[in-house]
Amino acid sequence: MMLELTAINSFYGKAHILNDLSFSVEPGEVVALLGRNGAGKTTTMKSIMQMVRPRSGSVRFQGRDITGEPAYKVARQGLGYVPEERRIFTSLTILENLEVGRQPKRAGAPYWTTDALFELFPNLSERRNNLGKALSGGEQQMLTIARTLMGNPSLILLDEPSEGIAPVIVEQMAASILKFKEHGLTVVISEQNLHFARAVADRTIIIEGGTKKFDGTFEVLEREPEIRDQYLSV
């Protein structure tokens, strides 16, 4: 098992956000966490990374219990995280941003070079010497993902990768995620865009109020429209 969450309960102060949340992800799988804004998707990502430490329950990554470990140690074990806020270094060039993320080759994980990433994200290749502040929102999102891949993770967490970017960039993003799968990278995506999630993911987990409401393929979800309408409709 690549990732396993068991009965996770996470809080912000006294606010109980995740309620006994459990799910697992197989190696090489692309899983989409779906739910409305505020459902608990980002908190799930941060709880996996231990940026929000669960008060109870466990997170296991590649068979190892990482619950309570510092986030930087979790990252060094091969868990990559791309936050919705992007957080690139705007005063550095694209190439310099990528170098910040560089880590050694990791056993059992895809190995990424700058050339491979520029092939994956041609927009970045054309502007490799441009400063981060000169990039569009979509290009900044691509750069954040590429910088994370320079750490050669076994699993990457993508928080709302299609949010607030142009449709043409969304299409490129979807194509890139499918390429990740070809390389054997395990991916967990947090999304509100059902169409985007269906295009890239093998399976979806629907979260509402910090609890799991559905776990299955999109084919099964299509046969249960009442679930889709109850938890995903605006």
Side-chain angles (χ1 to χ4, degrees):
M1 192 71 66
M2 179 63 71
L3 179 70
E4 187 172 16
L5 279 67
T6 304
I8 290 294
N9 286 276
S10 293
F11 293 71
Y12 290 125
K14 294 183 179 180
H16 194 172
I17 308 300
L18 301 184
N19 296 271
D20 288 330
L21 182 64
S22 300
F23 66 84
S24 60
V25 180
E26 298 285 350
E29 194 175 22
V30 179
V31 174
L33 304 180
L34 290 175
R36 298 186 183 95
N37 192 32
K41 303 185 302 297
T42 294
T43 304
T44 300
M45 296 272 187
K46 290 183 176 180
S47 295
I48 293 169
M49 287 301 300
Q50 304 302 301
M51 297 169 70
V52 172
R53 294 193 177 183
R55 290 196 191 173
S56 63
S58 66
V59 179
R60 300 186 71 84
F61 174 58
Q62 294 183 314
R64 176 177 175 178
D65 190 344
I66 60 172
T67 317
E69 292 192 6
Y72 75 90
K73 287 189 176 180
V74 172
R76 286 178 181 174
Q77 292 177 51
L79 246 173
Y81 175 51
V82 179
E84 184 181 359
E85 302 87 0
R86 295 162 190 159
R87 300 179 187 172
I88 65 165
F89 296 100
T90 56
S91 60
L92 299 181
T93 66
I94 286 176
L95 275 169
E96 289 168 339
N97 266 276
L98 293 179
E99 285 303 316
V100 168
R102 185 184 292 276
Q103 289 190 40
K105 181 181 289 189
R106 197 182 308 278
Y111 176 63
W112 298 93
T113 63
T114 52
D115 287 343
L117 291 169
F118 284 144
E119 184 177 342
L120 190 65
F121 298 111
N123 300 49
L124 300 184
S125 178
E126 296 166 4
R127 312 188 68 185
R128 64 182 66 191
N129 294 312
N130 288 36
L131 295 179
K133 63 185 177 184
L135 305 179
S136 69
E139 288 167 340
Q140 289 186 5
Q141 182 73 293
M142 289 179 176
L143 178 55
T144 309
I145 294 172
R147 186 183 62 192
T148 303
L149 291 176
M150 285 292 286
N152 304 312
S154 302
L155 185 154
I156 189 169
L157 306 170
L158 303 178
D159 195 359
E160 303 279 3
S162 72
E163 178 70 19
I165 59 178
V168 64
I169 302 295
V170 172
E171 291 180 10
Q172 294 176 23
M173 196 74 70
S176 297
I177 292 171
L178 293 175
K179 289 281 182 61
F180 297 168
K181 185 174 174 63
E182 291 178 13
H183 283 272
L185 183 64
T186 307
V187 185
V188 178
I189 307 168
S190 163
E191 264 299 334
Q192 294 186 62
N193 185 331
L194 177 60
H195 176 74
F196 179 84
R198 186 189 290 114
V200 301
D202 303 304
R203 178 166 60 95
T204 181
I205 295 165
I206 297 176
I207 298 175
E208 175 68 24
T211 62
K212 183 174 67 177
K213 301 298 183 181
F214 175 85
D215 185 345
T217 65
F218 286 94
E219 289 77 9
V220 173
L221 182 61
E222 288 298 320
R223 295 198 296 269
E224 300 185 29
E226 67 281 357
I227 293 178
R228 182 191 62 215
D229 294 344
Q230 182 175 358
Y231 299 118
L232 301 179
S233 296
V234 177

